[in-house]
Structure formats: structure tokens, C-alpha cells
Amino acid sequence: MRIASLLADTSVQVSDTEGLGSGFFVSANGLVVTNRHVVHAPDQQGRVLLKLRDGRKILGQVVYYHPDCDLALVRPLQDLNVDYLRPARGGRPRAGQSLFFHGSPRGLEGTFQSGIVSAIRDLSTQYGRVDDMIQVGAAVNPGNSGGPVVDKRGRLIGVISSRVPDTDGIGWAIPTAYVNALLQGAVDRLERGLGPIAAPREAGPSSAEARTENVAQGVDGKEALKCPVAGY
């Protein structure tokens, strides 16, 4: 019950102009991590819609895309003071350990699920090579993308990204190390005054395996990450 409540409090539904997925808070001022393919079609101002547990809907600005994997960072466009997920410690997850995740599969927001770490694998994806990708032994569906994966202590171990097509119970989660790299890359780039990074144009299908084509524009970089992200 504690983990389910924690994930409900720290997760959001993320919608762009073409569909919806999931995301989660990584800072007290409401920075949201999600998948690149979830926010590949923001509006003309680079904005997406964030729906919180209490039903509030607020706009968020896409401020950074990880250059080598399916992660993106969104800044809420109003002041927030929220609980957020902290990263797990002690190395990578191990096969057989329990995991829990939260999202909006098929649009069913607030869905709590459990499973196991089936394996840890190095994979080549459409975005680049991802080391220590978590093979999730649980049903992963469209709408789960971008949702958090935590261990039995409620600590973040990964981000749901995709599933193996035409299977039931083989999904993939990007490990926390890449969330750390996403946040550090955003801080480094914005502190140098370079502004948001443009996601490269990519060939490939849409929806769950979507290409990312949009560029975040007009973001005040120094304000976007003014709240430290603890623990990452």
C-alpha cells in the first residue's frame, strides 16, 4: 500500500497533441521525466499537458531530450511543491527481484502494477545503445511509457519505455543511470546558455515506437532547473 500511494503521488499523466503516456516527478518543484516518444508532438510552443493525481491539469514545457535514449525532461509552467522519487542505491537491479510501476495503460490512469526483473540486457534501440536495460516481467501496454519503476523500498530503478510486440509480459525499462545523465545533461547545457536541445529527426513508426521530431523552443534555461534535483 505504501508503494502504491507513493507512486500515485509522484506520477503524472502526460499528453501531447497525438496521444498520452506517463511520467513522474524528480524534484520538489515538479520537474517531470518521461519518454521522448511520449512528448514527440508538443504544441507549437513546445508544451504538453500534465495531469496530476488530484485532477489538476497544468501545462509543461519540454526542456531537454536525452541524445542517446528514450527520455525527456518537462518543466511545469506553474509553481509546484510536490513529493518526488529518489533513485535506488547499491548497483543495478538483479534478475528475480520484485519491481512495481505506475502509469496509464490504454488510458487507464492511476494503474499500479507489479512484476519482476526478468533479466538485465544491453540493447541497441532506435535512439542508441542502452546498457543494463531492465527486462520487465509484467504486462506493459501503450500508455505505460514514461512511467516510473521502483524497487520494494519505493526507490527508482528505471523508466518504462517499450515492450516486445505481440508478447504478453516482456517489457523494457531504461535504468536510473540514464535519468541521472538526462538531468545532468540538461543542467550542463542550460548553464552554458545553449537552451533546450533539439531531438534529431528519426525514421520509424509512431505511437509506442514513435520517432521524435519536435524541438522545444522559447525556454528560459536558467529558470527551468532552478531547483536542485536531490540524489540523482
Side-chain angles (χ1 to χ4, degrees):
M1 291 293 291
R2 182 186 66 83
I3 293 177
S5 180
L6 173 66
L7 287 175
D9 288 340
T10 55
S11 298
V12 297
Q13 188 180 81
V14 183
S15 304
D16 66 6
T17 61
E18 294 186 357
L20 62 84
S22 305
F24 58 95
F25 295 125
V26 292
S27 70
N29 70 338
L31 290 173
V32 169
V33 168
T34 185
N35 287 149
R36 277 169 56 164
H37 76 257
V38 170
V39 293
H40 83 283
D43 68 14
Q44 293 183 347
Q45 288 75 47
R47 300 176 304 182
V48 295
L49 188 66
L50 306 175
K51 185 177 181 182
L52 282 59
R53 181 186 188 183
D54 61 11
R56 282 182 294 166
K57 296 180 180 180
I58 63 176
L59 290 173
Q61 186 95 40
V62 182
V63 294
Y64 192 72
Y65 299 92
H66 194 296
D68 300 314
C69 73
D70 189 14
L71 291 177
L73 187 65
V74 177
R75 173 177 65 98
L77 294 179
Q78 71 179 61
D79 291 336
L80 293 177
N81 184 15
V82 295
D83 194 7
Y84 59 95
L85 292 175
R86 279 75 167 175
R89 302 299 186 191
R92 71 182 190 177
R94 293 180 294 177
Q97 80 173 64
S98 297
L99 57 77
F100 307 89
F101 59 105
H102 192 277
S104 298
R106 305 291 183 181
L108 298 172
E109 63 183 285
T111 298
F112 175 74
Q113 296 173 256
S114 63
I116 64 168
V117 176
S118 296
I120 302 295
R121 305 184 188 277
D122 298 339
L123 294 181
S124 294
T125 74
Q126 70 180 91
Y127 302 99
R129 178 184 171 88
V130 177
D131 294 331
D132 296 336
M133 183 79 96
I134 301 167
Q135 182 178 327
V136 176
V140 172
N141 291 288
N144 278 128
S145 295
V149 182
V150 301
D151 62 17
K152 63 182 180 180
R153 297 182 178 179
R155 297 289 180 168
L156 185 74
I157 61 172
V159 184
I160 294 291
S161 178
S162 60
R163 64 173 180 168
V164 177
D166 301 319
T167 65
D168 184 14
I170 305 179
W172 302 109
I174 299 168
T176 305
Y178 288 83
V179 176
N180 179 44
L182 173 80
L183 297 169
Q184 190 59 56
V187 170
D188 291 348
R189 184 175 179 86
L190 295 173
E191 284 184 347
R192 296 200 306 271
L194 298 178
I197 191 171
R201 296 185 66 87
E202 300 154 356
S206 58
S207 71
E209 293 80 31
R211 62 187 183 275
T212 304
E213 297 180 343
N214 297 80
V215 180
Q217 300 286 352
V219 178
D220 182 343
K222 292 182 180 180
E223 288 298 309
L225 293 171
K226 62 184 179 181
C227 179
V229 183
Y232 287 90

